Amino acid sequence: MSSDLDAQLQAIRADGEQVFADAATLEALKQAEARVLGKKGPLAALFGRIRECTPEQRGPFGQRLNEAKAALAERAQGRRAELEQSAAAADLKQAQAFDPTLPPPVVARGSVHPVTYVQWEVEDVFERLGFSVVAGPEMETEYYNFEALNIPAMHPARDMQDTFWLTSGMLLRTHTSPCQVRAMERFGPPLRVIAPGRCFRYETIDASHENTFFQLEGLMIDRHISIANLIGIMKLLLREIFKRDVKVRLRPGYFPFVEPGFELDMSCSICDGAGCATCKRSGWVEILPCGMVHPNVLRFGGIDPHEYTGFAFGLGLTRLAMMKYGVGDIRVLNSGDLRPIVYPEKFSGTPITMAE
Ligand code: DAH
């Protein structure tokens, strides 16, 4: 009987030693220990069989069992120490593999929106000319958007600008021109301001029309301001922005808040004046409507038109960005297209369109 139990004990011990030696991780070792040395393990079962021995054999067999148990526990402990050491060595190796002098991975930082970039450029030009940058509200009153700009309620000129009316009776400004009378009221003459901002029109969207776009209003009021001042500054502006002489044409234009009023067009830089979808095949892009401030508008702003004159312009900022960076379709600018534009190089290449 005893020799049979002894044989089993040998087998359990040999097996346990092997299992502990084979454990490749601390977790595997923990499981092996529970299996071999645990309460439901083979060793515990042999303890339960001591009573099968003769009384003389019990003592020595129990001793051998205890020895075997202690030896196995020691083996497990030894293996644990080995595994812990190699884990620490691996950690150390990894720590040593970290080279703090290596350059970090390149993180794409994104870039400023083309319209914002052009706005900054224009602001820069005008700040050098002594203009201040002001802002007006995007949700406007009918008074500032129309009335004070010499566009009374029944005037057909209201139809020129399809308007988003709000239920409150206010509206989303259709242009940045309401900033004119606001600036006159706030600062009084003499006055040099520009007012960049978002505008809204109830438009059918196509390659050159959006219901949300950006303009930059300009207003200069002083004694003896003339059309010569207006044209001089407009030309300077375009030259600064495009870093070259831009071909322009001036034609009469009707806007109720200026008299005389002009349309200043630039040669389309998408097609180089040949005619494309962006310029409606005309080769010209309306970019700078402008004129001499109408006496009525000066009066609305509390300024005496006999003493002061001024010019105003409403630069199409979105269009300017399109011309400058060769964006052939206005919808691209609101599309989340993240292709980077390389600033501040002049555009030369294939126009960016929606189809791409
Ligand atoms: N506010 C006009 C528009 O959006 C543009 C404009 C025309 C602005 C002539 C002006 C100006 O300041 O003088 O259609």
Side-chain angles (χ1 to χ4, degrees):
M1 182 77 239
S2 165
S3 62
D4 173 35
L5 289 178
D6 267 332
Q8 286 193 33
L9 179 56
Q10 293 297 329
I12 292 167
R13 187 167 170 172
D15 178 60
E17 284 174 359
Q18 188 62 47
V19 170
F20 294 157
D22 287 349
T25 63
L26 285 164
E27 184 54 35
L29 180 63
K30 205 170 143 194
Q31 284 172 9
E33 271 185 283
R35 206 168 60 240
V36 176
L37 299 171
K39 279 189 195 131
K40 290 187 180 146
L43 212 52
L46 274 193
F47 273 102
R49 292 177 64 185
I50 291 181
R51 63 188 136 76
E52 292 174 23
C53 298
T54 61
E56 306 83 66
Q57 289 169 338
R58 276 182 202 170
F61 182 62
Q63 210 175 346
R64 283 199 293 283
L65 269 176
N66 279 324
E67 274 168 22
K69 189 176 177 186
L72 278 171
E74 203 175 315
R75 276 299 177 103
Q77 187 51 38
R79 180 67 185 143
R80 178 173 300 109
E82 268 173 39
L83 286 172
E84 278 170 357
Q85 212 175 14
S86 63
D91 280 353
L92 188 67
K93 207 168 149 201
Q94 199 176 16
Q96 282 165 347
F98 176 72
D99 179 354
T101 64
L102 282 178
V106 178
V107 178
R109 280 188 299 162
S111 61
V112 169
H113 194 279
V115 173
T116 308
Y117 193 85
V118 171
Q119 178 186 324
W120 289 350
E121 281 193 313
V122 178
E123 286 176 3
D124 200 51
V125 173
F126 279 98
E127 271 165 352
R128 275 184 273 138
L129 295 171
F131 282 71
S132 312
V133 182
V134 299
E138 290 178 353
M139 191 170 78
E140 254 303 357
T141 61
E142 194 179 342
Y143 175 77
Y144 285 110
N145 199 84
F146 292 124
E147 289 283 330
L149 290 169
N150 203 27
I151 316 175
M154 302 316 285
H155 198 285
R158 286 217 179 177
D159 294 344
M160 287 164 68
Q161 303 184 350
D162 289 321
T163 309
F164 285 115
W165 290 95
L166 304 175
T167 46
S168 62
M170 292 178 82
L171 50 85
L172 297 183
R173 68 174 172 199
T174 57
H175 48 181
T176 43
S177 301
C179 297
Q180 287 189 28
V181 170
R182 285 184 177 276
M184 290 180 210
E185 287 174 347
R186 178 136 174 231
F187 303 111
L191 187 62
R192 290 180 203 190
V193 291
I194 52 169
R198 195 192 296 268
C199 307
F200 309 86
R201 299 240 182 125
Y202 186 46
E203 296 270 9
T204 307
I205 296 172
D206 62 26
S208 52
H209 294 89
E210 252 289 5
N211 50 30
T212 299
F213 54 95
F214 286 79
Q215 288 189 342
L216 185 141
E217 197 76 12
L219 178 67
M220 178 168 180
I221 295 174
D222 208 333
R223 295 190 170 89
H224 316 301
I225 296 289
S226 72
I227 296 176
N229 298 115
L230 168 64
I231 294 174
I233 294 215
M234 298 300 94
K235 277 192 166 163
L236 176 115
L237 168 65
L238 292 175
R239 198 167 54 237
E240 289 283 325
I241 296 300
F242 286 91
K243 313 274 186 269
R244 62 183 159 102
D245 276 324
V246 178
K247 211 162 121 189
V248 296
R249 70 176 186 188
L250 195 68
R251 52 197 173 91
Y254 172 69
F255 303 96
F257 33 94
V258 282
E259 180 57 40
F262 305 102
E263 286 280 9
L264 196 141
D265 304 335
M266 67 171 278
S267 171
C268 179
S269 67
I270 302 290
C271 59
D272 232 344
C276 66
T278 310
C279 60
K280 293 189 217 121
R281 320 262 155 225
S282 71
W284 295 96
V285 179
E286 293 175 9
I287 199 148
L288 252 176
C290 52
M292 300 304 292
V293 182
H294 196 287
N296 285 351
V297 178
L298 289 171
R299 278 190 207 101
F300 274 114
I303 295 175
D304 181 357
H306 296 292
E307 196 177 347
Y308 289 98
T309 50
F311 68 77
F313 61 89
L315 174 67
L317 260 193
T318 302
R319 277 206 192 149
L320 186 60
M322 290 169 73
M323 288 296 112
K324 189 164 158 135
Y325 296 114
V327 179
D329 191 316
I330 194 168
R331 290 166 289 194
V332 172
L333 293 171
N334 289 348
S335 71
D337 185 335
L338 293 181
R339 265 174 293 171
I341 285 181
V342 183
Y343 306 115
E345 318 263 327
K346 182 175 98 58
F347 163 70
S348 63
T350 325
I352 298 173
T353 61
M354 279 307 266
E356 273 178 61

